[in-house]
Amino acid sequence: MSNPKLMYLSGLILAVLAVGYGSFCLLRSRRARQDNRAALNERALAAVAAGIRRHAAEFDGLFEGLYQAAKIQNSLIVDAYIEWCDRVGQLGDISFQSSFSSLFSKEDIQNETLCREKYQLLLRCFAQAGISRDRHQGLCCKADAVMQQAYIVAGGNQPQIGMEYTIIKPAWLIGRNVVEYGMVMPGFVDL
């Protein structure tokens, strides 16, 4: 290959191939890191959900508060989120604390968009833990066995099966086990 043009062209083709291969390897490596981060986040979410399920009683009073904070769009209410972070930090469950803190932090409240994303992520952890909101606030319905077990009538009594009540604050349950008691008022109340 003594032809300079042919040598130049061959070198140019090799350079283009090398750059193309390098770009391909870089993209593949970047995609692998993104996939790895996503897998780590999913594992952390599963660990947080398991921790919330294990320690559900420790978060009594915060399930509905976080739900309402996530639902209200015209102002950022952070009290329940901050309390979630504090209570997790007070537990002796190091693996749960580590997983939780890899996803959630009190510093999240400094950025409203990020904070609202964290609310949704924490609500997703509730669902993954099998914790669900029993009924909607403002719903008027006849008391059944679940209501009798999971709600308190304003004033301290237990709901009576068959009587109508309005849900003032929904209960949160794991299956049929109460995680957070709800509150009802007798009859129809316009909220």
Side-chain angles (χ1 to χ4, degrees):
M1 255 198 192
S2 60
N3 184 341
K5 285 185 180 179
L6 192 54
M7 287 178 59
Y8 174 77
L9 195 54
S10 296
L12 186 60
I13 290 171
L14 286 174
V16 168
L17 288 173
V19 169
Y21 180 72
S23 296
F24 170 76
C25 289
L26 181 63
L27 287 173
R28 194 171 82 193
S29 173
R30 188 176 296 151
R31 189 171 299 131
R33 282 193 307 271
Q34 288 171 339
D35 290 347
N36 190 33
R37 271 194 300 267
L40 287 172
N41 277 347
E42 287 304 314
R43 282 196 294 274
L45 284 171
V48 168
I52 289 172
R53 186 175 178 93
R54 264 192 321 276
H55 300 287
E58 303 298 323
F59 303 109
D60 183 27
L62 296 181
F63 291 97
E64 184 66 16
L66 187 84
Y67 175 86
Q68 290 298 328
K71 184 177 165 187
I72 295 169
Q73 294 299 310
N74 58 353
S75 64
L76 183 64
I77 300 170
V78 298
D79 297 350
Y81 184 77
I82 290 171
E83 187 64 23
W84 267 97
C85 293
D86 287 344
R87 288 192 196 178
V88 170
Q90 294 168 1
L91 297 172
D93 188 337
I94 303 302
S95 64
F96 175 40
Q97 290 171 323
S98 176
S99 295
F100 188 91
S101 65
S102 74
L103 297 171
F104 306 102
S105 166
K106 286 196 269 188
E107 284 73 36
D108 297 334
I109 67 172
Q110 296 172 8
N111 178 326
E112 182 172 347
T113 302
L114 175 64
C115 191
R116 290 190 181 285
E117 289 172 9
K118 297 298 181 159
Y119 288 176
Q120 295 305 316
L121 199 57
L122 194 49
L123 289 170
R124 183 175 155 201
C125 289
F126 296 175
Q128 197 170 339
I131 299 171
S132 61
R133 194 170 189 245
D134 178 56
R135 301 167 203 230
H136 297 290
Q137 184 175 7
L139 176 68
C140 184
C141 57
K142 290 188 180 195
D144 56 14
V146 172
M147 184 183 281
Q148 189 176 47
Q149 174 191 348
Y151 289 83
I152 298 168
V153 178
N157 298 324
Q158 190 175 23
Q160 298 301 308
I161 293 178
M163 289 186 59
E164 283 201 355
Y165 295 92
T166 299
I167 307 296
I168 303 301
K169 177 186 167 286
W172 287 78
L173 310 170
I174 296 177
R176 294 186 57 87
N177 295 322
V178 180
V179 174
E180 184 172 297
Y181 284 91
M183 182 171 285
V184 295
M185 290 193 66
F188 174 75
V189 178
D190 189 17
L191 301 179

